[in-house]
Amino acid sequence: MATTALSSFTRGVARYALVAALAAVFALFAALAPGFLSGANLLSVLVNNFALLAIVAIAMTFAVSAGGIDLSVGTAVDFASFAFVSLVLAGQPIALAALGGLAGGALVGVFNAVLIAGIGISPFLATLGTLFVGRSAQQLLTNGGNPVYLPPAGVPEAFRFLGHGTVAGIPVPLLVTALVVAGAWLVLSHTRFGRVTLAAGIQASVVRYSGLRLSRITALTYVLVSTIAAVVGLILTSTVTVYIPSSGNAFLLNAIGATFIGTTFDPHGRPNVPGTVLGVLLLGVVANGLLLSGLNFYWQQVGTGLLIFSVLAIGFANRKAAARA
């Protein structure tokens, strides 16, 4: 009886270490960082630190769930942004330009799918190659990496709405993020595609021997990853009204970190949408709190790295203890 109770308690600690870490840093910055609890600052955390990173991290969650990784999510963001800006400058309707942007990002996924599912290159090497190819392509398309600006007088109101608009008082980027998170959770948890994707990440050979076309699942996953990441390209461009080459790569490391932090929320250490969202929120709160505390930017990066190590180490240690119990 005592052993069973200890085992249950240990598993509970393992799963909710991430929640405890989030509560701890929130309380710490509430006490130490001036203005942290103000409504304006908390909204800033959600819009500026959370929303876009959450979408990219959700995309990364699909890749990791399938047993791989996607180092080119930033490239998908950039290609979507470039296509969106180019079509708006060409005078195309915003809806058509947005679809073109999503298609531009999805093309990155198609390229990855050919390399990974078609040729058989490992996801790490394939997407790393795509990252380098995409960076060079952007340099060529912009005459050496020059930003592409939209003239202030020529920016349609519908274009601004995606980045600055509100619906019932809620910023549009947050609403889009909520839709992406909800959709990703439904797909991974309640659809056949999601279950097969997770199974492929756990033991690909079982999926293959079950008669399922693993290459097709892998290809669809990487196209989906890039399409989700492309949404960020649209929102980012609408927010700043400019396309900056390779700016999407700024999301890459934090997206990977949030995804793996999120695995501590699952009893078996698997990628999951709720955990990824909590991981993004944790990174956003820490980044905002350290900024308000007046720390140098580079120390902020050190603090974020130490936090990722700490959460992963605690989660791993707790799962190990739970397995022994």
Side-chain angles (χ1 to χ4, degrees), residues 28-304:
L28 177 66
F29 290 125
L32 300 180
F36 178 78
L37 288 179
S38 68
N41 182 66
L42 294 179
L43 181 62
S44 175
V45 170
L46 291 176
V47 175
N48 299 321
N49 297 92
F50 173 78
L52 299 188
L53 178 58
I55 296 175
V56 179
I58 288 298
M60 186 66 69
T61 300
F62 275 96
V64 178
S65 295
I69 196 168
D70 191 341
L71 302 180
S72 65
V73 286
T75 304
V77 172
D78 291 328
F79 273 49
S81 176
F82 178 77
F84 191 29
V85 166
S86 299
L87 289 170
V88 171
L89 284 173
Q92 298 298 324
I94 296 301
L96 181 60
L99 289 175
L102 292 176
L107 281 176
V108 176
V110 172
F111 186 67
N112 285 332
V114 171
L115 295 177
I116 298 168
I119 301 177
I121 301 174
S122 72
F124 179 86
L125 293 177
T127 58
L128 180 63
T130 301
L131 168 63
F132 286 122
V133 171
R135 183 181 297 172
S136 298
Q138 291 176 71
Q139 298 290 321
L140 293 170
L141 289 170
T142 57
N143 297 318
N146 295 313
V148 180
Y149 295 93
L150 285 170
V155 178
E157 191 59 35
F159 181 90
R160 295 182 184 275
F161 179 76
L162 187 57
H164 297 280
T166 60
V167 175
I170 303 174
V172 170
L174 276 182
L175 289 175
V176 174
T177 301
L179 289 174
V180 170
V181 168
W185 177 75
L186 286 172
V187 169
L188 276 179
S189 303
H190 297 283
T191 67
R192 181 175 180 270
F193 172 77
R195 289 190 291 270
V196 173
T197 299
L198 290 168
I202 298 169
Q203 202 161 7
S205 59
V206 173
V207 174
R208 191 179 293 109
Y209 293 144
S210 299
L212 298 172
R213 294 178 59 185
L214 183 60
S215 60
R216 181 181 178 185
I217 296 298
T218 301
L220 288 174
T221 299
Y222 280 92
V223 173
L224 178 62
V225 167
S226 292
T227 304
I228 294 173
V231 174
V232 172
L234 306 187
I235 299 175
L236 183 62
T237 305
S238 300
T239 302
V240 299
T241 65
V242 61
Y243 158 72
I244 302 174
S246 299
S247 58
N249 290 330
F251 296 101
L252 175 60
L253 294 181
N254 279 346
I256 295 173
T259 300
F260 282 98
I261 286 175
T263 62
T264 64
F265 191 67
D266 183 86
H268 306 289
R270 295 167 187 162
N272 61 98
V273 171
T276 296
V277 171
L278 289 173
V280 173
L281 192 56
L282 179 63
L283 293 179
V285 168
V286 169
N288 179 263
L290 292 175
L291 180 64
L292 291 178
S293 299
L295 284 181
N296 180 283
F297 171 78
Y298 299 106
W299 281 112
Q300 294 176 33
Q301 298 301 299
V302 171
T304 301

